Amino acid sequence: MMGLFSLLRKLKRSDKEVRILLLGLDNAGKTSVLKRLASEDITEIKPTQGFNIKSVSQDGFKMNVWDIGGQKSIRPYWRNYFESTDILIYVIDSSDRRRLEETGQELNLLLEEAKLAGVPLLVFANKQDLVTALPADEIATALNLNSIRDRRWQIQPCSAKTGDGVSDGMEWAIQLCQKSK
């Protein structure tokens, strides 16, 4: 029966439709990344209470992006959105050294989730426009990303504010989807 549901789900979705889950701690810049992808104004962003969903088209792909709030009280609800995820995007505030350990713990919990097994991971090392930002390679080391063996992953330095690096990360994600579809 489960095989039938999987088959129906695949038939229902177009070949070029991708479900992206956008997670990270509060104030990491998830909504700014989402608005940047949708070419929307990012001058006034409020903390996400719950979630935002946007459909964004890029390179012939329709990306349904689920941006879920990152406050500590909301994180237990993240698991309600894992089903049918094609790509996990995890956004990190590169300038927030104080919370690097916490964000690493949250990411590790996500990587252990059965419903996210094998789902490619794109880590946006956001806020690279700030002078206090750690470089992406230092973040990768601190988060022990090089030990990930069960999925494709990429860390992408970016600034949702300026747009630098965001499209580069999404191109990586779309190339993966093109190979798997």
Short mmCIF file of all heavy atoms in Angstrom, two decimals, residues 5 23 50 56 78 85 90 103 109 142-143 145-146 153:
data_model
loop_
_atom_site.label_atom_id
_atom_site.label_comp_id
_atom_site.label_asym_id
_atom_site.label_seq_id
_atom_site.Cartn_x
_atom_site.Cartn_y
_atom_site.Cartn_z
N PHE A 5 1.09 4.70 -2.60
CA PHE A 5 1.07 6.12 -2.25
C PHE A 5 2.29 6.85 -2.80
O PHE A 5 2.20 7.96 -3.30
CB PHE A 5 0.99 6.30 -0.73
CG PHE A 5 -0.39 6.06 -0.18
CD1 PHE A 5 -0.59 5.08 0.78
CD2 PHE A 5 -1.47 6.79 -0.62
CE1 PHE A 5 -1.86 4.84 1.28
CE2 PHE A 5 -2.74 6.56 -0.13
CZ PHE A 5 -2.94 5.57 0.83
N LEU A 23 15.42 25.47 6.98
CA LEU A 23 15.47 25.48 8.43
C LEU A 23 16.74 26.16 8.93
O LEU A 23 17.67 26.41 8.17
CB LEU A 23 15.44 24.04 8.96
CG LEU A 23 14.20 23.21 8.63
CD1 LEU A 23 14.37 21.78 9.13
CD2 LEU A 23 12.95 23.84 9.22
N GLY A 50 5.62 30.43 13.02
CA GLY A 50 5.02 29.34 12.24
C GLY A 50 5.84 29.09 11.01
O GLY A 50 7.00 28.72 11.10
N VAL A 56 8.80 29.16 -6.07
CA VAL A 56 9.77 29.95 -6.83
C VAL A 56 10.19 29.12 -8.03
O VAL A 56 10.47 27.93 -7.90
CB VAL A 56 11.01 30.26 -5.95
CG1 VAL A 56 12.01 31.09 -6.72
CG2 VAL A 56 10.61 30.95 -4.66
N TRP A 78 9.30 21.08 13.64
CA TRP A 78 9.95 20.93 12.33
C TRP A 78 9.63 19.57 11.72
O TRP A 78 9.40 19.47 10.53
CB TRP A 78 11.46 21.08 12.46
CG TRP A 78 11.97 22.48 12.64
CD1 TRP A 78 11.26 23.63 12.62
CD2 TRP A 78 13.34 22.85 12.85
NE1 TRP A 78 12.09 24.71 12.82
CE2 TRP A 78 13.38 24.26 12.96
CE3 TRP A 78 14.52 22.14 12.97
CZ2 TRP A 78 14.56 24.96 13.17
CZ3 TRP A 78 15.70 22.83 13.18
CH2 TRP A 78 15.72 24.23 13.27
N THR A 85 10.45 15.76 1.44
CA THR A 85 11.45 16.80 1.22
C THR A 85 12.49 16.30 0.21
O THR A 85 13.02 15.21 0.35
CB THR A 85 12.14 17.18 2.56
OG1 THR A 85 11.17 17.75 3.43
CG2 THR A 85 13.28 18.16 2.34
N TYR A 90 19.77 24.47 5.19
CA TYR A 90 19.97 24.88 6.58
C TYR A 90 20.74 26.19 6.57
O TYR A 90 21.84 26.26 6.02
CB TYR A 90 20.73 23.79 7.35
CG TYR A 90 20.68 23.97 8.84
CD1 TYR A 90 19.54 23.59 9.56
CD2 TYR A 90 21.73 24.52 9.53
CE1 TYR A 90 19.48 23.76 10.92
CE2 TYR A 90 21.69 24.68 10.90
CZ TYR A 90 20.55 24.31 11.60
OH TYR A 90 20.50 24.48 12.96
N THR A 103 23.52 25.62 16.85
CA THR A 103 23.05 25.36 15.48
C THR A 103 23.60 24.03 14.97
O THR A 103 22.92 23.30 14.25
CB THR A 103 23.37 26.53 14.52
OG1 THR A 103 22.53 26.43 13.37
CG2 THR A 103 24.81 26.59 14.09
N LEU A 109 20.67 16.77 14.77
CA LEU A 109 19.38 16.13 15.03
C LEU A 109 18.60 15.94 13.72
O LEU A 109 17.99 14.89 13.50
CB LEU A 109 18.54 16.96 16.02
CG LEU A 109 19.03 16.98 17.47
CD1 LEU A 109 18.23 17.98 18.29
CD2 LEU A 109 18.93 15.58 18.07
N ALA A 142 33.64 23.46 12.15
CA ALA A 142 32.98 23.52 13.46
C ALA A 142 31.75 22.61 13.50
O ALA A 142 31.45 22.02 14.55
CB ALA A 142 32.57 24.96 13.77
N LEU A 143 31.06 22.47 12.38
CA LEU A 143 29.85 21.64 12.33
C LEU A 143 30.18 20.20 11.94
O LEU A 143 29.26 19.38 11.83
CB LEU A 143 28.84 22.22 11.34
CG LEU A 143 28.31 23.61 11.66
CD1 LEU A 143 27.32 24.06 10.61
CD2 LEU A 143 27.68 23.66 13.03
N LEU A 145 30.98 18.96 9.08
CA LEU A 145 30.26 18.59 7.85
C LEU A 145 31.01 17.53 7.05
O LEU A 145 30.39 16.71 6.38
CB LEU A 145 30.00 19.82 6.98
CG LEU A 145 29.06 20.88 7.56
CD1 LEU A 145 28.90 22.05 6.58
CD2 LEU A 145 27.70 20.29 7.91
N ASN A 146 32.33 17.54 7.13
CA ASN A 146 33.11 16.58 6.34
C ASN A 146 32.88 15.13 6.76
O ASN A 146 33.26 14.21 6.04
CB ASN A 146 34.61 16.93 6.40
CG ASN A 146 34.90 18.19 5.63
OD1 ASN A 146 34.38 18.40 4.54
ND2 ASN A 146 35.72 19.07 6.20
N TRP A 153 26.14 16.99 0.15
CA TRP A 153 26.01 18.24 0.89
C TRP A 153 26.94 19.29 0.30
O TRP A 153 27.90 18.98 -0.40
CB TRP A 153 26.29 18.04 2.39
CG TRP A 153 27.70 17.65 2.70
CD1 TRP A 153 28.22 16.40 2.76
CD2 TRP A 153 28.80 18.54 2.97
NE1 TRP A 153 29.55 16.44 3.06
CE2 TRP A 153 29.94 17.75 3.20
CE3 TRP A 153 28.93 19.93 3.06
CZ2 TRP A 153 31.18 18.29 3.50
CZ3 TRP A 153 30.17 20.48 3.35
CH2 TRP A 153 31.28 19.66 3.57
#
